[in-house]
Amino acid sequence: MTTHRTATPPRPRSDDGGAHAVGASTARCPLASHVFEMAMEPVDVHVAQARRTTATVLKHWSLPETPAEDARLVVSELVSNAIIHGSGDVRLRLRHDEHELRIRVTDDSTAPARRRRASAAGLGGRGLHLVACLSLRWGVADGGRTTYAVIPTLPEAPPCRRETQSSTEPTC
Protein backbone atom coordinates (compact mmCIF):
# COMPACT_ATOMS: atom_id res chain seq x y z
CA MET A 1 0.00 0.00 0.00
CA THR A 2 1.38 3.40 -0.93
CA THR A 3 -0.25 6.69 -0.17
CA HIS A 4 -1.60 9.71 -1.99
CA ARG A 5 -1.50 12.52 0.49
CA THR A 6 -0.66 15.94 1.65
CA ALA A 7 -0.66 14.46 5.16
CA THR A 8 0.78 11.12 6.20
CA PRO A 9 -1.87 8.34 6.20
CA PRO A 10 -1.62 5.09 8.12
CA ARG A 11 1.06 2.54 7.32
CA PRO A 12 -0.35 -0.47 5.46
CA ARG A 13 -0.18 -4.06 6.54
CA SER A 14 1.45 -6.56 4.22
CA ASP A 15 -1.67 -8.77 4.18
CA ASP A 16 -3.91 -6.21 2.48
CA GLY A 17 -5.68 -8.81 0.33
CA GLY A 18 -5.78 -6.69 -2.81
CA ALA A 19 -6.51 -3.28 -1.33
CA HIS A 20 -3.94 -0.56 -1.76
CA ALA A 21 -3.62 3.17 -1.59
CA VAL A 22 -2.58 4.99 -4.72
CA GLY A 23 0.46 7.26 -4.60
CA ALA A 24 1.32 10.60 -6.18
CA SER A 25 1.02 14.18 -5.13
CA THR A 26 -1.63 16.36 -6.72
CA ALA A 27 -0.86 19.96 -7.58
CA ARG A 28 -4.49 20.87 -8.36
CA CYS A 29 -5.63 20.73 -4.72
CA PRO A 30 -5.12 23.67 -2.38
CA LEU A 31 -2.21 23.34 0.02
CA ALA A 32 -4.59 23.48 2.99
CA SER A 33 -6.32 20.26 1.99
CA HIS A 34 -5.58 16.64 2.83
CA VAL A 35 -6.13 13.91 0.24
CA PHE A 36 -6.12 10.14 0.60
CA GLU A 37 -6.90 7.56 -2.07
CA MET A 38 -7.26 3.82 -1.83
CA ALA A 39 -8.06 1.21 -4.48
CA MET A 40 -9.40 -2.24 -3.73
CA GLU A 41 -10.69 -5.34 -5.42
CA PRO A 42 -14.49 -5.75 -5.14
CA VAL A 43 -14.39 -8.14 -2.17
CA ASP A 44 -16.68 -7.83 0.88
CA VAL A 45 -13.81 -7.79 3.41
CA HIS A 46 -12.61 -4.52 1.91
CA VAL A 47 -15.66 -2.68 3.26
CA ALA A 48 -14.38 -3.11 6.82
CA GLN A 49 -10.83 -2.32 5.72
CA ALA A 50 -11.98 0.91 4.02
CA ARG A 51 -13.91 1.87 7.17
CA ARG A 52 -10.89 1.21 9.44
CA THR A 53 -8.50 3.01 7.11
CA THR A 54 -10.87 5.98 6.91
CA ALA A 55 -11.04 6.13 10.71
CA THR A 56 -7.23 6.14 10.94
CA VAL A 57 -6.80 8.80 8.24
CA LEU A 58 -9.46 11.07 9.74
CA LYS A 59 -7.93 10.71 13.20
CA HIS A 60 -4.56 11.67 11.75
CA TRP A 61 -6.18 14.71 10.14
CA SER A 62 -7.71 15.62 13.56
CA LEU A 63 -11.27 15.57 12.25
CA PRO A 64 -13.85 16.08 15.03
CA GLU A 65 -15.53 12.89 16.27
CA THR A 66 -19.07 13.52 14.95
CA PRO A 67 -18.14 14.14 11.31
CA ALA A 68 -15.58 11.31 11.52
CA GLU A 69 -18.30 8.89 12.67
CA ASP A 70 -20.58 10.08 9.87
CA ALA A 71 -17.74 9.66 7.36
CA ARG A 72 -16.99 6.10 8.46
CA LEU A 73 -20.63 5.12 7.93
CA VAL A 74 -20.83 6.91 4.57
CA VAL A 75 -17.62 5.22 3.38
CA SER A 76 -18.97 1.86 4.49
CA GLU A 77 -22.24 2.35 2.61
CA LEU A 78 -20.68 3.72 -0.59
CA VAL A 79 -17.96 1.07 -0.76
CA SER A 80 -20.57 -1.65 -0.07
CA ASN A 81 -22.74 -0.34 -2.90
CA ALA A 82 -19.79 -0.23 -5.30
CA ILE A 83 -18.83 -3.81 -4.44
CA ILE A 84 -22.38 -5.17 -4.63
CA HIS A 85 -23.81 -3.18 -7.54
CA GLY A 86 -20.72 -1.92 -9.41
CA SER A 87 -18.07 -3.57 -11.52
CA GLY A 88 -14.29 -3.66 -11.45
CA ASP A 89 -11.98 -2.32 -8.78
CA VAL A 90 -13.34 0.17 -6.27
CA ARG A 91 -11.54 3.44 -5.59
CA LEU A 92 -12.06 5.53 -2.46
CA ARG A 93 -10.95 9.15 -2.28
CA LEU A 94 -11.12 11.35 0.80
CA ARG A 95 -10.41 15.07 0.63
CA HIS A 96 -10.61 17.33 3.64
CA ASP A 97 -10.23 21.07 3.60
CA GLU A 98 -11.09 23.64 6.24
CA HIS A 99 -14.85 23.24 5.95
CA GLU A 100 -15.81 19.85 4.58
CA LEU A 101 -14.85 16.28 3.86
CA ARG A 102 -15.53 15.00 0.35
CA ILE A 103 -15.89 11.26 -0.06
CA ARG A 104 -15.81 9.78 -3.56
CA VAL A 105 -16.21 6.10 -4.40
CA THR A 106 -15.66 5.08 -8.01
CA ASP A 107 -16.03 1.80 -9.89
CA ASP A 108 -16.33 0.89 -13.57
CA SER A 109 -20.13 0.64 -13.76
CA THR A 110 -22.02 3.40 -15.54
CA ALA A 111 -25.26 2.55 -13.75
CA PRO A 112 -25.70 5.44 -11.28
CA ALA A 113 -26.41 4.78 -7.62
CA ARG A 114 -30.09 5.36 -6.76
CA ARG A 115 -32.01 5.44 -3.54
CA ARG A 116 -34.41 2.54 -3.19
CA ARG A 117 -37.39 2.06 -0.97
CA ALA A 118 -36.59 -0.51 1.69
CA SER A 119 -39.22 -2.92 2.85
CA ALA A 120 -39.72 -3.47 6.58
CA ALA A 121 -38.31 -7.00 6.34
CA GLY A 122 -35.72 -6.30 3.63
CA LEU A 123 -32.01 -6.20 4.34
CA GLY A 124 -31.11 -3.68 1.64
CA GLY A 125 -32.28 -0.34 0.34
CA ARG A 126 -31.25 1.83 3.27
CA GLY A 127 -27.64 2.70 2.41
CA LEU A 128 -28.15 5.77 0.26
CA HIS A 129 -30.88 6.97 2.59
CA LEU A 130 -28.28 6.93 5.39
CA VAL A 131 -25.78 8.69 3.14
CA ALA A 132 -28.37 11.40 2.40
CA CYS A 133 -29.14 11.82 6.10
CA LEU A 134 -25.49 12.11 7.14
CA SER A 135 -24.17 14.34 4.37
CA LEU A 136 -24.66 17.95 3.41
CA ARG A 137 -25.09 16.77 -0.17
CA TRP A 138 -24.50 13.63 -2.18
CA GLY A 139 -24.82 12.60 -5.78
CA VAL A 140 -23.45 10.81 -8.78
CA ALA A 141 -20.77 12.05 -11.18
CA ASP A 142 -18.49 10.76 -13.94
CA GLY A 143 -21.31 9.24 -15.98
CA GLY A 144 -22.54 7.13 -13.06
CA ARG A 145 -19.12 5.76 -12.12
CA THR A 146 -18.64 7.90 -9.00
CA THR A 147 -20.91 8.38 -6.01
CA TYR A 148 -19.89 11.19 -3.70
CA ALA A 149 -20.93 12.68 -0.40
CA VAL A 150 -19.90 15.91 1.30
CA ILE A 151 -19.80 16.05 5.09
CA PRO A 152 -19.43 19.40 6.87
CA THR A 153 -16.57 19.42 9.38
CA LEU A 154 -17.13 22.73 11.15
CA PRO A 155 -18.98 22.58 14.50
CA GLU A 156 -21.42 25.30 13.37
CA ALA A 157 -22.19 23.61 10.04
CA PRO A 158 -25.87 23.77 9.08
CA PRO A 159 -27.91 20.60 9.63
CA CYS A 160 -29.60 20.85 6.23
CA ARG A 161 -28.98 17.92 3.96
CA ARG A 162 -29.99 17.58 0.37
CA GLU A 163 -29.74 15.04 -2.39
CA THR A 164 -28.10 15.75 -5.71
CA GLN A 165 -28.63 13.24 -8.49
CA SER A 166 -25.81 14.32 -10.78
CA SER A 167 -23.01 16.76 -10.54
CA THR A 168 -19.81 18.10 -11.88
CA GLU A 169 -18.12 17.97 -8.48
CA PRO A 170 -14.52 19.14 -8.72
CA THR A 171 -11.93 16.44 -9.27
CA CYS A 172 -9.98 17.38 -6.19
Side-chain angles (χ1 to χ4, degrees):
M1 205 183 282
T2 59
T3 56
H4 176 102
R5 61 190 163 348
T6 55
T8 306
R11 302 303 307 159
R13 297 180 317 179
S14 60
D15 62 341
D16 64 5
H20 59 282
V22 180
S25 175
T26 178
R28 295 180 311 201
C29 293
L31 293 176
S33 68
H34 301 286
V35 176
F36 176 81
E37 291 182 341
M38 177 175 154
M40 63 203 92
E41 295 173 345
V43 180
D44 290 343
V45 300
H46 291 149
V47 175
Q49 181 181 9
R51 187 174 49 247
R52 284 190 309 269
T53 301
T54 297
T56 302
V57 168
L58 298 182
K59 184 176 182 179
H60 180 78
W61 291 347
S62 301
L63 207 71
E65 185 58 30
T66 299
E69 284 181 24
D70 292 350
R72 288 190 301 267
L73 182 54
V74 167
V75 164
S76 187
E77 293 300 333
L78 294 182
V79 170
S80 290
N81 280 354
I83 289 171
I84 294 167
H85 303 292
S87 65
D89 287 347
V90 176
R91 292 161 306 280
L92 167 65
R93 179 182 170 99
L94 306 172
R95 178 177 174 249
H96 177 250
D97 62 23
E98 299 169 0
H99 308 290
E100 61 189 21
L101 175 68
R102 292 173 186 241
I103 301 166
R104 296 172 55 97
V105 175
T106 304
D107 64 63
D108 294 332
S109 174
T110 58
R114 290 185 205 153
R115 284 175 69 173
R116 298 182 323 178
R117 179 168 286 220
S119 66
L123 297 176
R126 293 172 180 80
L128 289 178
H129 177 73
L130 288 171
V131 170
C133 290
L134 295 172
S135 56
L136 182 60
R137 64 187 178 275
W138 77 277
V140 175
D142 303 327
R145 289 181 177 84
T146 299
T147 305
Y148 68 88
V150 178
I151 296 176
T153 58
L154 294 176
E156 68 275 4
C160 67
R161 304 178 195 288
R162 64 185 173 92
E163 178 177 337
T164 308
Q165 286 303 316
S166 63
S167 173
T168 56
E169 279 287 306
T171 58
C172 87

